[in-house]
Amino acid sequence: MGKTSVVTTRLDAETVELVDRIVEARGQSRSWFIARVVGEAARREQAFLDFVQQGIDELDRGEGIPHDVVMSELDAMIAKHEARCRD
């Protein structure tokens, strides 16, 4: 696993009770469980930030679709749906 760091945080009693029930059922420690879920959450957040940055980079390169074009297409889709609903 490599070098580790100690991180301290405060959790409400309900969350601690939930964590304790989970780790007891799994036979694991709080520390192991919390390290695992924090790692998973951090990886998801980083993937989201990477996704957002990819979109920003595409817009910076002029690869985006202009807002008025998107809105026009959406308006057409809505009108088509509304027409079907009236028939």
Side-chain angles (χ1 to χ4, degrees):
M1 180 199 245
K3 186 178 179 184
T4 62
S5 297
V6 174
V7 177
T8 303
T9 189
R10 294 187 185 280
L11 300 172
D12 60 85
E14 183 180 336
T15 301
V16 172
E17 289 174 20
L18 178 58
V19 168
D20 285 347
R21 285 197 309 267
I22 293 168
V23 299
E24 184 177 331
R26 292 180 166 205
Q28 297 160 332
S29 68
R30 273 187 190 168
S31 178
W32 180 89
F33 178 77
I34 292 170
R36 191 180 117 243
V37 297
V38 168
E40 290 173 4
R43 284 186 287 280
R44 281 193 308 271
E45 287 296 316
Q46 186 60 57
F48 175 73
L49 292 174
D50 292 345
F51 175 74
V52 170
Q53 188 60 53
Q54 179 183 351
I56 292 169
D57 293 344
E58 289 172 1
L59 290 173
D60 288 346
R61 291 191 302 266
E63 298 172 0
I65 300 171
H67 182 263
D68 57 333
V69 172
V70 172
M71 292 309 298
S72 176
E73 290 179 11
L74 284 173
D75 289 342
M77 291 170 67
I78 291 168
K80 184 177 178 180
H81 174 72
E82 287 174 342
R84 277 197 325 251
C85 289
R86 283 186 292 246
D87 294 338

